[in-house]
Amino acid sequence: MSDSKSLFAAATRVIPGGVNSPVRAFRGVGGEPFFVARGAGARIWDVDGREYLDFLGSWGPLILGHAAPPVVDAVVQAAARGTSYGAPTPAEVEMAEAITSAYPSIELVRLVSSGTEAAMSAIRVARGVTGRPVLVKFDGCYHGHADSLLVRAGSGGATFSIPDSAGVPEPLAALTLTAPFNDLEAVKALFAARGPEVAAVIVEPVAGNMGVVAPRPGFLEGLREITRAHGALLIFDEVITGFRVAYGGAQELYRVRPDLTCLGKIIGGGLPVGAYGGSRGVMDHVAPLGSVYQAGTLSGNPIAVAAGLATLRRLADRSAYARLEALGGALEQGLRRAGERAGVELTVNRVGSMLTAFFCAAPVPDYAAARRASTRRYARFFHGMLRRGVFLAPSQFEAAFVSLAHTDADIELAARAAAEAMREASRED
Ligand code: KE4
């Protein structure tokens, strides 16, 4: 038996589903996950010695690739000085200064340990600042697993949402309203019905969790106008897009300034870091300055912050984004050509170095359209690529990521594998 198989059997005996995060269990594509032994650059190796060209990059953080030398050196040096103090350190000031200088909308920023913590804290701040209870989110957007966010659209438009997870109380779910991504009319209708109750609108400015979906021209600007007109706060969840689509994130790319921003993934360089921040007027409400409480034993952990700072230092050379754009564009073209040659209906959505190949013909502007993609074909494509040594997200509704460790030859390898895997996927229909 393969080591991954025996490890998965052991894991399922002591870990729910054998994994520490559900999407890793391959339920979206079938089969069993391989277990990773190590990574280096754009590649990872499983415990059976198989090599994979990695386009998951740990779901976004590894924009420099695996075991990037400056990151490893920074982690080793920080660890040798101690792992955690529960007291402020110089590196936390350096990280906060890096974030506030890259994001003009952020004057004060608080570090936490995950994207979930960042989003749940930003929502609490918005509710504390406005004194209002209702939150608006978008179908298909994911902001971590805080209760208020695990909801799905209720029966009617402006009526309340219902829980999308056991354990979420209905009265809490009812405080979250949902609208289709890219649909400003739906948002206007929610505000027409419930505007005085709305504390905030939270949005992934470029969606990554329904697969990659870019904002339509005017969508983000429209959210900015609507929230401002109704005294609600606009929260950009840039956990994926922060330092990914531009050094200053989607708010730099699309020139829209939110009231609060959530960050994560890349700012930890592969270690647990999240952050939320906004204007002084908003963040002055956060304890110990104000009455909105939020805390964390390992917030601003010196080793995690060292990994994040080493990553940001490399990205501060903005030529990194031209390179990421070139690599992302080449992969997009490779996937499109593969689909054309295989005669497969394919829509590739891309923003910079994050992209998704949807197995459907129509454009994909929102979650309803994404759900029309063939998850069966995606699953076959995923395994066809895996057999050819290319690791993509084990779900149609996620993003693939290119890093600075990927080479032109890597992209060509992936495009060749995609041409074969798509032909295979289409034959099995
Ligand atoms: P974490 O709590 O997983 O660090 O971050 C939650 C989160 C918040 N906001 C956005 C836009 C996110 O994408 C995420 C987490 N992303 C998922 C997959 N896209 C992480 C993978 C997983 O859940 O295992």
Side-chain angles (χ1 to χ4, degrees):
M1 181 191 291
S2 87
D3 285 351
S4 279
K5 272 203 174 306
S6 53
L7 278 165
F8 191 56
T12 51
R13 285 194 289 273
V14 286
I15 304 170
V19 290
N20 282 313
S21 198
V23 71
R24 302 178 191 172
F26 278 21
R27 296 285 173 100
V29 291
E32 292 183 359
F34 58 85
F35 280 60
V36 179
R38 67 183 182 92
R43 283 163 173 75
I44 54 176
W45 285 263
D46 70 18
V47 292
D48 296 299
R50 267 188 293 274
E51 175 184 307
Y52 304 95
L53 183 53
D54 181 17
F55 288 98
L56 185 65
S58 181
W59 303 95
L62 299 184
I63 198 165
L64 302 192
H66 292 276
V71 174
V72 173
D73 292 348
V75 165
V76 168
Q77 287 167 34
R81 295 194 296 271
T83 56
S84 177
Y85 312 106
T89 62
E92 292 163 77
V93 181
E94 191 181 348
M95 174 61 84
E97 288 173 341
I99 291 171
T100 52
S101 60
Y103 292 74
S105 69
I106 302 178
E107 293 179 305
L108 291 180
V109 61
R110 170 64 58 81
L111 296 184
V112 293
S113 298
S114 71
T116 292
E117 263 194 284
M120 67 187 267
S121 306
I123 290 164
R124 186 178 307 131
V125 170
R127 285 171 163 158
V129 168
T130 61
R132 298 176 179 181
V134 172
L135 172 73
V136 174
K137 75 175 289 289
F138 293 91
D139 303 331
C141 283
Y142 175 71
H143 308 287
H145 62 86
D147 284 352
S148 294
L149 294 160
L150 296 181
V151 302
R152 58 189 155 84
S155 53
T159 57
F160 49 77
S161 297
I162 52 180
D164 202 17
S165 165
V168 174
E170 289 197 3
L172 186 56
L175 293 176
T176 303
L177 304 179
T178 62
F181 189 74
N182 273 324
D183 185 342
L184 279 178
E185 291 314 307
V187 177
K188 286 174 185 168
L190 290 183
F191 273 87
R194 310 277 299 270
E197 306 166 69
V198 178
V201 172
I202 186 168
V203 66
E204 292 180 62
V206 174
N209 286 287
M210 56 183 95
V212 174
V213 178
R216 281 198 180 109
F219 176 61
L220 299 177
E221 295 84 346
L223 294 182
R224 180 65 286 177
E225 285 161 27
I226 294 167
T227 46
R228 190 167 281 139
H230 288 268
L233 300 191
L234 178 59
I235 304 173
F236 272 12
D237 177 347
E238 297 225 40
V239 167
I240 289 182
T241 55
F243 295 97
R244 166 67 62 181
V245 298
Y247 190 73
Q251 54 197 273
E252 174 185 307
L253 195 60
Y254 297 103
R255 293 180 172 38
V256 174
R257 284 195 183 189
D259 298 298
L260 280 160
T261 299
C262 307
L263 295 168
K265 296 186 192 268
I266 288 173
I267 64 168
L271 272 71
V273 180
Y276 67 98
S279 69
R280 205 170 292 284
V282 167
M283 294 297 286
D284 276 347
H285 288 72
V286 177
L289 292 179
S291 57
V292 176
Y293 193 71
Q294 176 270 315
T297 303
L298 296 175
S299 295
N301 174 271
I303 301 177
V305 169
L309 282 172
T311 302
L312 298 194
R313 281 188 204 105
R314 174 66 186 81
L315 297 174
D317 171 358
R318 300 305 201 275
S319 65
Y321 292 94
R323 176 67 179 153
L324 289 164
E325 174 59 31
L327 288 167
L331 182 59
E332 175 188 353
Q333 289 317 312
L335 291 171
R336 287 184 189 285
R337 270 198 305 277
E340 285 156 14
R341 286 185 193 144
V344 166
E345 290 184 331
L346 197 77
T347 294
V348 181
N349 285 0
R350 177 179 72 87
V351 178
S353 57
M354 60 189 281
L355 67 162
T356 298
F358 292 97
F359 281 78
C360 62
V364 179
D366 58 24
Y367 189 43
R371 302 243 340 233
R372 287 194 284 272
S374 166
T375 51
R376 201 159 33 92
R377 270 195 174 176
Y378 182 84
R380 289 202 295 266
F381 175 64
F382 169 84
H383 284 291
M385 292 292 269
L386 207 57
R387 285 194 296 277
R388 292 171 174 82
V390 180
F391 182 40
L392 299 172
S395 162
Q396 168 69 94
F397 307 112
E398 294 285 357
F401 297 100
V402 177
S403 78
L404 290 172
H406 286 87
T407 65
D408 296 338
D410 291 334
I411 303 301
E412 286 156 23
L413 184 159
R416 283 195 304 276
E420 295 168 12
M422 279 193 200
R423 268 196 298 278
E424 234 171 50
S426 61
R427 271 201 302 272
E428 290 165 25
D429 271 353

